Amino acid sequence: MNNIKIKTILLFAVFFLMTVLFLSLFKYSFIDDAFITLSYAKNIFTNHIWGMSQNVISNTATSPLNVILLAIIGTLVGNYINGIVILTSLIILFLIIFLLKIFDKRMPIVIALGSVILFNPLFLSTLGLESLLYSLFITIVVYQLIQKKYELLGLSLGFLTITRPDGILLLSVIILFFIFEKRKKEIKLVLFRFFCVVIPCLLFSWIFLGSFIPLTFFIKVRQVWPSGFSYVV
């Protein structure tokens, strides 16, 4: 391993530790939705149940991947609140790495984008939720499209969708683009790998939780604002 690689690894390690220290300042200011996610994460390993309550199965978590990652890291570090800080710091680290790849190591651009993320009050107010994880997978998808890494693109789109269901919209746009470009091979490859990630999650949700999608979707659809608009339209 040459000196440049060692320096790069050390730089990323220092950045990760600094991010952990910075985010630790806000670890007692999570919003209520973050604690709902933490309840799901904690119950996976402590009570072997998917749900907010330790005794009742429920399908209301809109980001299965975020819950699972929080459960794993929270268990490893022994504290689920610290788990949020560690997971978020790792996500930011990988986000910076892929931004460096996209912008061909143009540090000023990446530093500016990183600062917008890290010091953004809106981001800090959503710690523990899936917003940043969702942004990471969108960034990875963009990188894979630029580099034409189609063998991994379907997997990333699958993970994007189990981070938030509306990730399927990005898949639809990409497939339409491939159809326009007449790339049948890429369409088959992307869809096959996408379904390899998504179908097991849907089957688990249907068999063990009783529905393919979170039940909160139906509640939100029925909600209507005074203007007449609903959650969907």
Side-chain angles (χ1 to χ4, degrees), residues 153-168:
L153 181 60
L155 296 176
S156 298
L157 286 165
F159 287 121
L160 177 70
T161 302
I162 63 173
T163 298
R164 277 192 66 87
D166 48 13
I168 199 170

Side-chain angles (χ1 to χ4, degrees), residues 24 30 95 103 115-116 163 176 204 208:
S24 294
F30 300 143
L95 188 56
F103 291 101
S115 299
V116 168
T163 298
L176 286 174
F204 175 87
F208 294 100

Side-chain angles (χ1 to χ4, degrees), residues 35 76 184:
F35 285 100
L76 289 175
K184 293 182 180 179

Side-chain angles (χ1 to χ4, degrees), residues 49-127:
I49 196 171
W50 184 273
M52 183 178 173
S53 171
Q54 61 181 5
N55 299 314
V56 180
I57 294 175
S58 59
N59 188 15
T60 59
T62 55
S63 180
L65 184 59
N66 188 49
V67 170
I68 292 168
L69 291 176
L70 276 176
I72 293 171
I73 295 179
T75 301
L76 289 175
V77 301
N79 183 292
Y80 289 91
I81 290 180
N82 289 335
I84 288 180
V85 173
I86 299 295
L87 176 60
T88 306
S89 300
L90 285 171
I91 292 171
I92 291 173
L93 176 61
F94 282 106
L95 188 56
I96 294 298
I97 289 172
F98 278 98
L99 286 174
L100 283 169
K101 291 176 180 289
I102 290 172
F103 291 101
D104 196 24
K105 300 180 181 179
R106 293 184 177 91
M107 287 302 295
I109 297 175
V110 176
I111 290 173
L113 290 173
S115 299
V116 168
I117 295 169
L118 197 56
F119 301 110
N120 188 335
L122 182 60
F123 153 66
L124 293 173
S125 69
T126 60
L127 285 175

Side-chain angles (χ1 to χ4, degrees), residues 185-212:
K185 181 181 177 181
E186 285 82 358
I187 292 172
K188 292 178 181 177
L189 181 62
V190 169
L191 286 177
F192 174 75
R193 302 207 172 184
F194 170 81
F195 286 120
C196 283
V197 174
V198 173
I199 286 179
C201 296
L202 291 176
L203 288 176
F204 175 87
S205 182
W206 176 258
I207 294 170
F208 294 100
L209 306 179
S211 65
F212 284 123

